[in-house]
Amino acid sequence: MSHPSGRRTRSAGRTAMAALGAGLLCATVLAAPSSAAGGRPATSPPSNPAPAGDDSHLALTPPMGFNNWNSTHCRAEFNEEMVRGMADLFVERGLKDAGYEYINLDDCWALPERDAEGKLVPDPERFPHGIKAVADYVHARGLKFGIYTSAGTKTCSDIGFPGALGHEYSDARQFADWGVDYLKYDNCNNQGLDAKQRYLTMRDALRATGRPILYSICEWGENRPWEWARGVGQSWRTTGDIKDNWESMLSIMKKNLPLDEYAGPGGWNDPDMLEVGNGGMTDTEYRTHFSMWSIMAAPLLIGADLRSAPQSAFDILSNEEVIAVDQDELGRQGKVIASENGRWVIAKELADGSRAVALFNESDQPQRVSTTARAAGLPHSAGYRVRDLWKHADTHTAGKISATVPAHGTVLVRVSPDRDWAQLPPAVDSGVDGGAIAESGDGVRLTAATENLGRQPVRSVSTGMTGPEGWRVRAESRPGTAVLRGGATFRSTWRIDVPRSAEPGSHELKLTTTYRLPSGRQVRSDSQVLVRVAVAPAGGTTHLSDLAPLSTANGFGPVEIDRSNGESAAGDGKPLTIGGRTWSKGLGVHAVSRVEYFTAGRCERVTASVGVDDETGERGTVAFEIQADGERRAGTGTLTNSQDAQEISADVTGAETVTLTVTDGGDGSEYDHADWADLKVTC
Ligand code: GLA
């Protein structure tokens, strides 16, 4: 069984309360303080500490910069050339001007052993000129420099680099001498010692250097740092590590969103670094990632190697109107004001009294997401200015804020009461809410709604729909109207004939809407429409693993057909095995996972034998659930690796879709290899 880059080891380190720990605690407490010149490492302050570094002015807005981890992990391309290249790009490509400031090294910059004096030694292959030279290079470009270590005996990498536990004062001194401006302090190999104490010791050690060093606490939210870390560090990770995929980003976002009350100037919730530009998500998803991190007032640490990133990554990362939401000096984290069926509304109060509002669509279909200026916290006004921060355009509304948002997309706007609303064109939203599911050769009907959210009428409204080649799209009703008054909605209905040759999967159509503003100017907008082509199971009993699912989402790697989950490539697992018993048919997934099938209202029952696959040893806790049209019909509660397979059976009579979900049992998703063995549907 393959395990990417030592997740297993780190996880063990997180919980280990080794016997060694007790001995080490004594040893570190008794260690002598270091002298100003270095000398023996120590955990307690030197007898004549330097004047305390003033950290009260640090991170008044969330930190912005770069960290190599998400793009390189410990691979060889993490070296001084990369760091210098990033510093150059920050200046040349306008990122510095956009506010990005720190260039940070993550794990693996040091040699595994300290020198005879107990000092950290930079890896001479990666950093042949040492760390100070890199810091100087970064500083010479008007940027700041950051470094990484762990509040443990070793850092998180399997290779075993030295951690700062018991060496806090001498390591902090060494960092300050190199010109470090930012420290990310991780949590691996912590010997079970009290987290708050470990993080406080390093805070004091940093202060004792006299150099202002932004202190980023990285204990993955394990000890509820939002409750104690303000005044210790300037940011605290709230979750485990982000991965460059939609499910990971989404689950991290959902953990960080409820913590809004803890964020503010000088102390920020940190949902981990950005993946924008690393290639594992679509641009729509990356815009959601960046919009949501900004409305959550999260640190914006670019995690892509911009020397090879596509232009789209620069376009997203340097959107100054979105960055301004993140960097707003009031320092509020956006609050969830509505969340239902994958439609999310988040509102963030801004220093000028306006509100940033994110309309986020978590689902796999375009959906209309709506709120009002009042619900977002704004005072009453005859009209409001709505600034679209991705389209860079202003419109007005009478109070409703609404958009048909593409699958996985986010519309991010800035809304303010505006006496001059009449100078702005009315906001018009046009789209198909929800899309459709069809079988190949079928006909489906879709209704598009065009709503005028403003106060003035728009004229000569016309809608048109186009499909992929070979698809027939006809208007079943009038596709346009001469006048659409403020507050009114116009509906047009379309008949779509899905060709027999259409492959199962999502097919994109386009709704185009044009209208004339009061000024006479014509506006044209396009909206995503999705038809998901699916194959319904035949009559009788069928193995679901023989059918193409409507949609899948999986913790690591793809959902495996008739194999266990190998975590990366398709087919890299083993036979499905639970409690020593093996099955030839079924699905191998990894929490958090979601697999959706089309049942066309023609099926009755779904059954399976479920459990944690034996390949994860003694670990792994998961919970299985079967939903019919989004409603729970059967579930297992939390299952562990020591349990044999459990039978699960759900009545799905009449459902259009059946969804199989696996959650992580509440303890994170590591080792959560889950099997839907002998998974069958009866129709
Ligand atoms: C932990 C941290 C990551 C990264 C790695 C480095 O997993 O949470 O952000 O720093 O260690 O090994």
Side-chain angles (χ1 to χ4, degrees):
M1 172 183 52
S2 70
H3 271 274
S5 66
R7 283 191 305 117
R8 164 148 303 200
T9 312
R10 291 212 303 279
S11 178
R14 282 165 192 183
T15 46
M17 266 270 227
L20 170 72
L24 195 121
L25 173 60
C26 298
T28 53
V29 167
L30 292 175
S34 64
S35 71
R40 287 184 58 200
T43 191
S44 48
S47 45
N48 53 346
D54 178 15
D55 53 21
S56 62
H57 64 290
L58 291 172
L60 296 179
T61 62
M64 292 176 65
F66 165 79
N67 172 301
N68 65 285
W69 182 253
N70 286 349
S71 92
T72 66
H73 285 210
C74 288
R75 289 190 304 275
E77 67 257 33
F78 168 46
N79 58 24
E80 65 179 32
E81 203 185 312
M82 175 192 204
V83 178
R84 285 199 307 256
M86 287 299 307
D88 292 344
L89 278 174
F90 266 30
V91 176
E92 288 159 16
R93 299 295 304 269
L95 292 157
K96 178 184 169 198
D97 290 341
Y100 293 94
E101 188 178 19
Y102 292 94
I103 301 276
N104 296 347
L105 313 187
D106 209 282
D107 201 357
C108 310
W109 59 266
L111 283 182
E113 300 301 331
R114 292 171 181 271
D115 70 11
E117 290 188 319
K119 293 225 172 193
L120 296 161
V121 187
D123 180 336
E125 301 236 323
R126 295 184 197 270
F127 298 101
H129 301 91
I131 298 296
K132 174 130 194 346
V134 196
D136 289 347
Y137 189 93
V138 169
H139 288 147
R141 274 139 199 84
L143 299 165
K144 291 183 174 152
F145 179 74
I147 208 160
Y148 161 101
T149 187
S150 180
T153 50
K154 290 190 185 315
T155 66
C156 292
S157 157
D158 290 348
I159 301 165
F161 301 108
L165 189 65
H167 299 259
E168 291 88 349
Y169 282 83
S170 88
D171 287 356
R173 183 71 260 159
Q174 203 176 349
F175 295 151
D177 291 345
W178 282 339
V180 164
D181 307 296
Y182 182 118
L183 174 66
K184 170 176 173 181
Y185 202 36
D186 215 333
N187 193 30
C188 288
N189 303 299
N190 60 48
Q191 310 304 317
L193 299 178
D194 179 69
K196 184 169 178 195
Q197 193 50 56
R198 285 181 292 118
Y199 284 95
L200 270 171
T201 306
M202 181 54 92
R203 177 202 68 180
D204 293 344
L206 291 172
R207 282 186 179 169
T209 66
R211 185 178 174 88
I213 297 178
L214 196 154
Y215 182 28
S216 148
I217 294 173
C218 175
E219 58 75 87
W220 321 303
E222 282 194 345
N223 305 280
R224 304 178 67 81
W226 44 90
E227 288 175 353
W228 52 262
R230 175 169 293 284
V232 181
Q234 284 75 44
S235 68
W236 45 87
R237 280 273 296 275
T238 55
T239 72
D241 291 4
I242 194 168
K243 303 265 169 9
D244 186 20
N245 65 65
W246 170 251
E247 284 298 319
S248 164
M249 192 268 288
L250 188 64
S251 72
I252 283 183
M253 174 199 301
K254 288 180 184 176
K255 287 181 187 149
N256 197 65
L257 276 169
L259 301 174
D260 58 277
E261 67 184 271
Y262 299 100
W268 308 99
N269 292 315
D270 175 5
D272 207 1
M273 302 173 290
L274 299 168
E275 293 284 6
V276 178
N278 282 328
M281 289 182 245
T282 65
D283 286 345
T284 299
E285 292 168 342
Y286 280 142
R287 275 191 293 272
T288 287
H289 181 16
F290 197 64
S291 300
M292 294 301 294
W293 261 234
S294 294
I295 206 161
M296 293 192 297
L300 297 179
L301 291 166
I302 297 170
D305 185 347
L306 294 180
R307 294 172 306 167
S308 52
Q311 179 58 37
S312 59
F314 286 92
D315 295 344
I316 294 170
L317 294 166
S318 51
N319 183 330
E320 297 202 22
E321 292 198 81
V322 179
I323 292 172
V325 170
D326 181 79
Q327 293 292 303
D328 184 77
E329 60 186 20
L330 190 62
R332 293 276 158 82
Q333 174 172 333
K335 213 183 217 356
V336 177
I337 58 172
S339 164
E340 209 189 333
N341 296 329
R343 301 170 154 98
W344 294 76
V345 181
I346 296 97
K348 181 184 200 271
E349 185 180 356
L350 301 173
D352 65 358
S354 67
R355 297 290 186 283
V357 177
L359 306 174
F360 162 49
N361 174 14
E362 179 188 344
S363 81
D364 297 336
Q365 290 86 240
Q367 291 203 109
R368 185 159 299 119
V369 186
S370 305
T371 187
T372 63
R374 297 304 295 275
L378 289 168
H380 177 77
S381 170
Y384 298 84
R385 176 185 294 262
V386 178
R387 172 84 178 163
D388 186 312
L389 304 185
W390 287 106
K391 288 188 183 149
H392 307 295
D394 287 313
T395 54
H396 84 261
T397 81
K400 188 167 173 186
I401 303 162
S402 183
T404 307
V405 185
H408 295 188
T410 298
V411 168
L412 186 66
V413 294
R414 190 169 178 139
V415 188
S416 46
D418 195 335
R419 281 210 205 120
D420 294 331
W421 59 267
Q423 310 304 315
L424 304 166
V428 173
D429 174 50
S430 192
V432 174
D433 189 16
I437 303 173
E439 290 175 87
S440 61
D442 256 11
V444 279
R445 187 167 285 131
L446 286 173
T447 298
T450 304
E451 183 176 4
N452 182 350
L453 306 162
R455 288 205 176 277
Q456 296 149 335
V458 295
R459 292 173 203 282
S460 312
V461 177
S462 88
T463 58
M465 196 180 286
T466 50
E469 230 185 275
W471 289 49
R472 215 171 118 183
V473 182
R474 276 169 297 156
E476 281 205 335
S477 65
R478 251 175 343 123
T481 179
V483 182
L484 184 64
R485 280 177 294 107
T489 299
F490 165 74
R491 289 196 167 74
S492 51
T493 303
W494 306 83
R495 158 97 190 178
I496 324 278
D497 293 324
V498 180
R500 288 205 177 283
S501 59
E503 298 281 342
S506 255
H507 296 259
E508 189 156 342
L509 295 83
K510 191 166 71 180
L511 177 77
T512 300
T513 307
T514 56
Y515 51 90
R516 272 192 200 289
L517 296 175
S519 66
R521 186 164 65 86
Q522 198 179 48
V523 177
R524 180 196 154 115
S525 72
D526 290 334
S527 179
Q528 177 194 50
V529 177
L530 290 183
V531 173
R532 293 189 292 170
V533 174
V535 181
T541 300
T542 311
H543 284 287
L544 277 173
S545 60
D546 290 339
L547 302 178
L550 267 181
S551 68
T552 64
N554 204 42
F556 295 96
V559 168
E560 293 290 348
I561 308 299
D562 305 331
R563 304 283 287 171
S564 70
N565 182 274
E567 296 198 3
S568 78
D572 62 357
K574 296 179 182 161
L576 298 160
T577 311
I578 309 168
R581 193 172 154 203
T582 63
W583 283 265
S584 60
K585 301 295 291 178
L587 300 179
V589 305
H590 194 301
V592 175
S593 165
R594 191 173 183 281
V595 187
E596 189 188 11
Y597 287 98
F598 180 54
T599 43
R602 298 204 285 265
C603 301
E604 286 98 49
R605 189 158 288 279
V606 171
T607 57
S609 299
V610 297
V612 182
D613 194 281
D614 285 3
E615 69 191 326
T616 58
E618 286 164 12
R619 300 180 174 111
T621 54
V622 298
F624 293 79
E625 186 171 307
I626 301 176
Q627 301 166 357
D629 287 339
E631 274 181 28
R632 181 190 164 101
R633 290 290 166 83
T636 59
T638 301
L639 301 182
T640 70
N641 198 288
S642 61
Q643 283 168 279
D644 287 337
Q646 312 278 305
E647 301 307 312
I648 186 168
S649 172
D651 180 352
V652 299
T653 307
E656 283 286 304
T657 63
V658 165
T659 306
L660 311 174
T661 68
V662 175
T663 50
D664 65 8
D667 62 352
S669 65
E670 285 181 318
Y671 314 106
D672 287 351
H673 291 215
D675 294 343
W676 294 91
D678 202 28
L679 172 66
K680 287 189 289 222
V681 65
T682 311
C683 306

